[in-house]
């Protein structure tokens, strides 16, 4: 048995934290409730989209890593990226966080689980 919290629990906690802090958290695609990966699309006031997910850093430790295109003038690039990912991995959760320091909220929640 794994010590990691189920993905659905982590997603719920992240959305709750962001909403409680005055931001907007949205599920763009629902993944596997137990073990699905979590891709987080970050925004600040609807601008500067980025994509991050749980991965492993150079030291072998869990980390929030950059995924897909970053800070682009064309937000549809991010949408195209996550939709391609979902075709290959239907268990993937795709979450959008629109709040200042969205990457911090994602890291604090995902890496704690």
């Amino acid at each position: 048995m794994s010590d990691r919290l189920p993905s659905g629990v982590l997603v719920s906690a992240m959305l709750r934290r962001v909403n409680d802090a005055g931001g907007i958290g949205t599920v763009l695609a629902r993944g596997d409730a137990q073990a699905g990966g979590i891709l987080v699309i970050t925004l600040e006031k609807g601008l500067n989209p980025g994509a991050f997910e749980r991965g492993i850093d150079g030291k072998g430790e869990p980390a929030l890593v950059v995924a897909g295109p970053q800070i682009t003038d064309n937000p549809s690039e991010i949408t195209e990226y996550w939709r391609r990912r979902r075709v290959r991995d239907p268990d993937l959760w795709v979450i959008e966080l629109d709040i200042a320091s969205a990457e911090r909220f994602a890291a604090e929640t995902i890496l704690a689980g």
Side-chain angles (χ1 to χ4, degrees), residues 53-58 61-65 107 110-111:
E53 62 185 309
R54 181 171 32 197
I56 304 296
D57 67 13
E61 298 292 324
L64 196 65
V65 297
I110 291 174
L111 298 178

Side-chain angles (χ1 to χ4, degrees), residues 1-5 112-113:
M1 179 173 221
S2 173
D3 290 338
R4 283 174 54 174
L5 290 173

Side-chain angles (χ1 to χ4, degrees), residues 46-94:
L47 302 173
N48 302 321
F52 301 88
E53 62 185 309
R54 181 171 32 197
I56 304 296
D57 67 13
K59 299 175 185 175
E61 298 292 324
L64 196 65
V65 297
V66 173
Q70 296 293 305
I71 306 179
T72 175
D73 291 337
N74 184 1
S76 67
E77 289 178 26
I78 298 279
T79 302
E80 291 168 9
Y81 171 76
W82 73 255
R83 287 189 175 153
R84 283 192 310 270
R85 288 283 310 275
R86 283 278 299 171
V87 168
R88 292 190 317 265
D89 183 2
D91 293 335
L92 180 70
W93 289 84
V94 182

